[in-house]
Amino acid sequence: RQSICPSGSEGQSDWNRTWQTHNPDLTPCFQNTVLVWIPCLLLWLFAPFYILYLKRNDRGYICMTHLNRAKTVIGFTLWLICWADVFYSFWERSLGATIAPVYLVSPTMLGVTMLLATFLIQYERRKGVQSSGVMLNFWLIAIVCATVTFRSKILHPASVNVFKYTTFYIYYTMLLISLILACLSDQPPLFSQAVKDSNPCPELGASFLSRITFWWITGLMVTGYKRPLEEKDLWSLNTEDKSQRVVPQLVRRWDQELDNLPVDKTLYSPKRAARGEKKDGQPIEESEILLAKTLQKTGEPSLFCALCQTFGPYFLVSSLYKIIHDILMFVGPEILRLLIQFVNDSSAPTWHGYFYTTLLFVCTCVQTLILQKYFHVCFVTGMRLRTAIVGAVYRKALVITNAARRTSTVGEIVNLMSVDAQRFMDLITYINMIWSAPLQVILALYFLWQNLGPSVLAGVAVMVLMVPVNAVIAMKTKTYQVAQMKSKDNRIKLMNEVLNGIKVLKLYAWELAFKDKVSAIRESELRVLKKTAYLGAVSTFTWVCAPFLVALSTFAVYVLMDEHNILDAQKAFVSLALFNILRFPLNMLPMVISSMVQVLPFPLSLSFLKNIELKCQCVYEASAWHVGSGKSSLLSALLGEMQKQEGSVSIKGSVAYVPQQAWIQNTTLKDNILFGRDAKDSWYQKVVEACALLPDLEILPGGDLTEIGEKGVNLSGGQKQRVSVARAIYCNCAVYLLDDPLSAVDAHVGKHIFEKVIGPQGLLQGRTRVLVTHGLSFLPQADLILVMVDGEITEMGSYTELLGRQGAFAEFLHTYTNTEQEEVEESSQISLNAAGTGKTPEKTEPSDVAAAKKAKSTEAARLTEADKANTGRVKLSVFWEYTKAIGLPLSIFSFFLFFCHHLSSLGSNYWLSLWTDDPVINNTQPNREMRLGVYGALGLTQGIAVFCYSVAVSVGGILASRYLHQTMLYNVLRSPMSFFERTPSGNLVNRFAKETDTIDSVIPSIIKMFMGSMFNVLGSCAVILIATPLVAIIIPPLGLLYFFVQRFYVASSRQLKRLESVSRSPVYTHFNETLLGTSVIRAFGEQQRFIRESDGRVDHNQKAYFPSIVANRWLAVRLEFVGNCIVAFAALFAVMARDSLSPGIMGLSISYALQVTTSLNWLVRMSSELETNIVAVERVKEYGDTEKEAEWRLEHSTLPAGWPTTGHIEIRNFGLRYREDLELAISDISVNIEGGEKVGIVGRTGAGKSSLTLGFFRIIEAAQGEICVDAVNIAELGLHELRSRITIIPQDPVLFSGSLRMNLDPFDGYTDEEVWRALELAHLKNFVSGLPDKLNHECSEGGENLSLGQRQLVCLARALLRKTKILVLDEATAAVDLQTDNLIQSTIRTQFEDCTVLTIAHRLNTIMDYTRVLVLDKGQMAEFDSPSNLTAKKGIFYKMAKDSGLV
């Protein structure tokens, strides 16, 4: 050592000079060696890794800027100064002075390092680094080391060497300037994303300091504070967070997972066109490949591995942060020990105290920054993970086969996307605890052992006993959660169906039956919740009491083991601080394990990512007959939608497909037709005209820019079908597969479409057209006819050939043609719903509003109301509503229990501090048994209070959620039909799923945590004030700062949360829509466009989510800073008052101060969580204020029991309108119908036929006039009294999932015999008795496992079962073939002979034998007389009959 430092200087360190003095200093040798070398060595150590990192993450090139020039110049200057020093030393040497090697080595080393620094500055610029953390830290360490030397040089100007002093001061100034420059950020690289973007995320361009303190979000927060944030304020996503970057990565890894599995036996694998292209020359999309190879493997591909490979590397960074943070956690207790030691030792120099305080402050601040950085990495990973999973599920949903899709309902798949992906996201933050918790425990135990010796083992024993308790609770909670999820899934599934079939429920007056079904599921769900709540109380009890029990047992063993063991302040409070650290990992471990257990089923639910797809295609023209004979299945097979058993299918050219049930998207009518193709106006006009859509466009409020509601609710069945046909024609393909598109339109329209589109002279001439039909009139024009019976083709040939064969087909024709030669296909305007799933479109048809010739403003074109984001603070009334829902007494009682708990907790710790200050006599503390006893008693009180308040809050929460859910359910069912048209079902389902879930499980636990942290903060402040009253000066300003930061944050955070939840609905709505229309999307080959759309929606949602997680970090950094200030001031004032303070009180004060940071953090987090989540109550309550229907049952009903007895109907000047702002849809209708009459109602599309029935059932209330049935005005009845006494067979045959019997008779009001009789009359008896479960046969969601015709027959059976005096047929025979139609007509004629029957008809032959016919035109009554008289009059009816070939 002598050789490197100048001889005669004291060695490298001199403890007396440095530590045991009132004026500390370091030896010159130490300053010239260690302090110079530290920054150099660190930079050289990190440089290789950093250069490698920059090489791999090239962001593009930054042009030379003034900032960069300045940095470089200063770097060179520093290098020159160092060389100057070296040359000066050589020059001195040449003069013969003896120069110690250190004066050559250190400057040389420093000079080379400065060159390296300058090189790095330039290299960073070449690689696009705008602000560098590595360099900032280097300059910071260099300046800290130089400052020590700087202080020495000023304090001890011994032998002044002018040259060396000058160079040193210049060097020091240059370092300062470098440090300041390193804090600034350079301009963005050329060609970077940020330059092109209108509103780029400021993170990339932010300086290092701004990044670690999250200062870069402040701009957005200020905006949010001044006014509520809007969509346009949000930044674009960073490229690496976008779907197009994230999803393919996961898909690629998942493919590798699949490829790595051992192949078993090859199942059917579709032949591919060469060069990986599909039939129409598009490249095969990744997701098809992703899923085509799946069934051939054995073993399970692991989603978990795929996720790890995709997101692992980035996530590993967080583990590094976590290790550093975990180690820093233990600095606090150590410094506390030193501080108490300092107070006890009056001889210690005062600066020690200030030094410890500063050290404490710096460590806590570093700890804060590192922890927040860790969370940031976790949350961003979580966000990417969700994007990836949602994207993968969506891509899968587009290629999943129908058979595979039936195994999971739409609801379950949407749940997979919403709830489970969210769970994954939440787990990410805690997954590191798996290794971090044991590490923390081991470190804590090590320090405790140092402090208290073997008696720690007693505490450890208690903890070890707690772990299985917690684990058991976690496992139990898990099973309850599964049960609750099951109930919840069932409830949501049922709610989904209720909302989809709401129109039918209203028509049949079945709301109450379904309300009871939902409530029954809900009750079982609440029972489970209650059990979970008791378990939760036990776990809260262990969570709060574990540290206390541990401390109690440890201290008890320690003082009782040996009476010379004295519990002094240092031992007691350092141990307490360590026990507090221990609390977290011990309780987290079981929680993390149970969360992992919760998420593990998720990959299993994703196992639906492995079902085989098949692609197949074909050529010809066909048509067929009979319900359930397999016509639609044939088309599905052509599209490759069926599971192929044998044979092969091939199609050449692109395909267009019109499904039997039109699938309509929730966009404008024009977009529905264009379907992603480019707009060609002339062709578009031709198509619209050929599909007879021009008259409809005039009626619709916004023309072809009218927004169509979900599943096409504001179009009539015929309009939807025509839009569906128009979409197919517009895309101009080679092959057209038409699944009975003419069944839902009127006769003349059907004829028009056939001539203009499908027939030999239509737009599609020269293309292959496969038409499924029940209509016989089009057959003569077909090139080839296939006759199908029971899924087999029995005959094929042209029309004349088949007639000549005299087979079953010819026989069938002869039976029917004589009566219905021309009219057959004039089938009804059945409202086949958009979705293609047999769910009903449940909505009325404002398309009948011929009168609404309003100005076609864009406002009129909007129909659905998007979920709105409320702005501003959550009103206190919402909290009051929630408190009322819990019950006032219970709320006050809970509050009181909280107070008791915290009081006793403070008491026990204060008692401990008194105990530690007891005087020591002969190495013993005299009254320790008494001290121990009281300490234990106070702890017990704590435990009891905790348990009670936990139970009270949870039970209160359950009472509240039961009440809120019941009222919401009732209010929604009481809403009129117009409400369901306006409100997308996604919004409603969201209320019943997400918001209800929040009220059930989130809010009670947040309330508990909020109250807990609030009392903690208050308690801590009280203790610190008692110990060091001086803190009173500091607490108010800090409190104000804290309050301001909190309000400032909540303003933005709440709005971001709202924007995020509003942008979440469209993701699921679109997903839902896609699932319902997969066959259409696939047939048109539009998968890529839909994937892009879905990705766009997910990104849009994440755009609001990303700022909200950053805002959380921003807040945490600032709050923890406030907390760290409190700690520092508590320590500082304690140091200042060291003479008057007892060690016990000081220990108490600082150990409370150390906790205050966490409590403050939690308090703000919880108060904002409470505000954001209580919004759920607001949103659930908001349906209480919407308009309601009339009462279901009137209090004092004077209605005779058998009403209506004769079925006499009198309509006087009746009129109604769909919305307040629209004109009358029908007006001035006056008709008198005798009991037992059969009346047909006819008219062109939009004449108001359906509107009349809606008025009759009071789905829409009369705007003028009245309807009397048996001399009772129906407007004076309760709705259920009216609707349950008249029967309708609606247009759309809606079935609900449940048994067949439930679908016929939900109230269980009829015997089995009556049900079987009804089935027999409805010609379903053979079919039902052939089913394995007979009447208990489970109908799937929307009755998908029955054909459309069979569902129609079930509806007929419902009517036969109710058998009321008045029957309304809303063109119930649309989807059935002629035979079935005849069966239904004859059944109605015989069974309802003495009833009044009103039939809305399109097939005129069904009403030619009725007593009278009502002809409507443009919402007015045009003609009303017997069919023969009307034909003679030669009016509208005659024209229609002529079109149908009946006259």
Side-chain angles (χ1 to χ4, degrees), residues 442 669 957 1034 1128 1218 1259:
I442 291 167
L669 185 99
I1034 295 301
Y1218 278 92
I1259 294 288

Side-chain angles (χ1 to χ4, degrees), residues 127-181:
K127 294 297 178 193
V129 176
Q130 287 171 264
S131 169
S132 155
V134 173
M135 293 313 294
L136 181 74
N137 281 316
F138 166 69
W139 296 124
L140 184 67
I141 294 169
I143 199 126
V144 168
C145 292
T147 307
V148 177
T149 318
F150 185 72
R151 178 175 170 273
S152 286
K153 283 202 182 335
I154 289 175
L155 288 180
H156 313 286
S159 54
V160 177
N161 179 329
V162 180
F163 183 80
K164 290 239 169 112
Y165 264 51
T166 318
T167 53
F168 177 76
Y169 288 135
I170 297 175
Y171 165 76
Y172 189 74
T173 320
M174 290 293 164
L175 277 185
L176 262 177
I177 297 173
S178 284
L179 180 65
I180 294 165
L181 290 180

Side-chain angles (χ1 to χ4, degrees), residues 261 370 647 835 1184 1317 1355:
L261 295 173
I370 284 184
R1317 170 106 185 92
C1355 292

Side-chain angles (χ1 to χ4, degrees), residues 494-805:
L494 184 61
M495 271 318 297
N496 228 335
E497 291 193 65
V498 167
L499 294 172
N500 284 328
I502 190 77
K503 186 172 174 186
V504 174
L505 291 189
K506 290 199 172 302
L507 290 172
Y508 286 130
W510 276 1
E511 295 104 329
L512 285 171
F514 278 84
K515 176 171 175 267
D516 294 342
K517 282 187 70 173
V518 175
S519 301
I521 300 178
R522 177 74 180 153
E523 278 308 310
S524 69
E525 197 181 347
L526 287 175
R527 275 198 297 279
V528 176
L529 265 177
K530 208 169 232 163
K531 289 180 190 162
T532 319
Y534 293 138
L535 272 182
V538 177
S539 79
T540 309
F541 173 77
T542 55
W543 156 255
V544 176
C545 291
F548 182 81
L549 286 174
V550 170
L552 181 67
S553 55
T554 309
F555 293 153
V557 170
Y558 182 70
V559 294
L560 297 176
M561 223 165 56
D562 175 359
E563 61 178 26
H564 292 296
N565 277 352
I566 292 166
L567 192 64
D568 58 14
Q570 191 177 330
K571 290 195 170 68
F573 289 106
V574 174
S575 307
L576 271 188
L578 289 166
F579 284 137
N580 273 328
I581 291 180
L582 260 182
R583 173 196 292 194
F584 189 65
L586 282 178
N587 285 284
M588 277 310 289
L589 257 183
M591 269 170 62
V592 174
I593 293 167
S594 77
S595 298
M596 287 193 73
V597 177
Q598 244 181 51
V599 175
L600 285 178
F602 180 71
L604 304 180
S605 31
L606 272 183
S607 64
F608 104 107
L609 283 177
K610 314 187 301 242
N611 296 304
I612 191 162
E613 284 62 53
L614 72 135
K615 308 260 160 296
C616 47
Q617 319 288 350
C618 81
V619 193
Y620 51 68
E621 145 111 24
S623 78
W625 42 284
H626 266 323
V627 167
S629 59
K631 307 177 294 293
S632 302
S633 305
L634 178 68
L635 288 198
S636 296
L638 301 186
L639 288 169
E641 299 279 324
M642 307 286 273
Q643 283 279 322
K644 194 185 70 153
Q645 301 298 323
E646 53 185 353
S648 70
V649 188
S650 68
I651 285 192
K652 293 187 177 56
S654 53
V655 180
Y657 169 58
V658 180
Q660 189 172 13
Q661 298 196 316
W663 173 72
I664 304 289
Q665 284 183 277
N666 182 0
T667 71
T668 63
L669 185 99
K670 185 166 186 174
D671 289 343
N672 262 301
I673 296 177
L674 297 182
F675 204 55
R677 303 290 195 282
D678 299 331
K680 301 195 196 82
D681 282 340
S682 53
W683 175 237
Y684 176 73
Q685 286 307 324
K686 263 192 201 153
V687 170
V688 171
E689 202 245 341
C691 294
L693 280 167
L694 288 175
D696 301 296
L697 293 184
E698 286 174 23
I699 294 171
L700 289 169
D704 62 0
L705 297 178
T706 306
E707 186 200 1
I708 309 301
E710 264 186 286
K711 310 200 190 103
V713 296
N714 48 344
L715 296 181
S716 69
Q719 288 167 325
K720 281 191 277 200
Q721 202 61 58
R722 296 203 295 277
V723 169
S724 185
V725 173
R727 172 197 299 152
I729 306 169
Y730 187 83
C731 76
N732 222 346
C733 296
V735 178
Y736 282 83
L737 306 179
L738 311 166
D739 192 351
D740 205 2
L742 303 179
S743 67
V745 296
D746 307 14
H748 59 286
V749 180
K751 204 164 168 184
H752 172 102
I753 292 180
F754 189 83
E755 282 166 11
K756 297 272 194 208
V757 178
I758 307 169
Q761 259 56 59
L763 283 176
L764 300 183
Q765 54 187 7
R767 315 280 168 86
T768 307
R769 316 182 279 290
V770 181
L771 171 71
V772 167
T773 181
H774 296 135
L776 306 181
S777 55
F778 306 133
L779 297 183
Q781 309 187 45
D783 305 335
L784 175 69
I785 296 172
L786 307 183
V787 182
M788 292 190 73
V789 178
D790 292 337
E792 293 196 13
I793 298 178
T794 52
E795 303 179 67
M796 60 191 275
S798 69
Y799 187 74
T800 41
E801 282 170 15
L802 289 182
L803 275 183
R805 283 195 201 142

Side-chain angles (χ1 to χ4, degrees), residues 45-58 119-120 123-124 127 129 134:
L45 190 69
F46 282 109
F49 300 109
Y50 187 49
I51 291 172
L52 201 69
Y53 167 80
L54 288 178
K55 211 179 164 90
R56 298 190 54 177
N57 295 5
D58 193 345
F119 164 74
L120 281 177
Y123 192 65
E124 284 174 343
K127 294 297 178 193
V129 176
V134 173

Side-chain angles (χ1 to χ4, degrees), residues 1017-1030:
V1017 170
L1018 294 175
S1020 304
C1021 289
V1023 169
I1024 297 171
L1025 278 172
I1026 293 168
T1028 44
L1030 264 176

Side-chain angles (χ1 to χ4, degrees), residues 1051-1072:
S1052 306
S1053 147
R1054 192 180 42 225
Q1055 204 51 24
L1056 284 169
K1057 185 101 174 210
R1058 282 176 175 157
L1059 285 172
E1060 193 265 334
S1061 64
V1062 166
S1063 62
R1064 198 185 310 126
S1065 303
V1067 175
Y1068 305 140
T1069 313
H1070 180 245
F1071 184 51
N1072 223 331

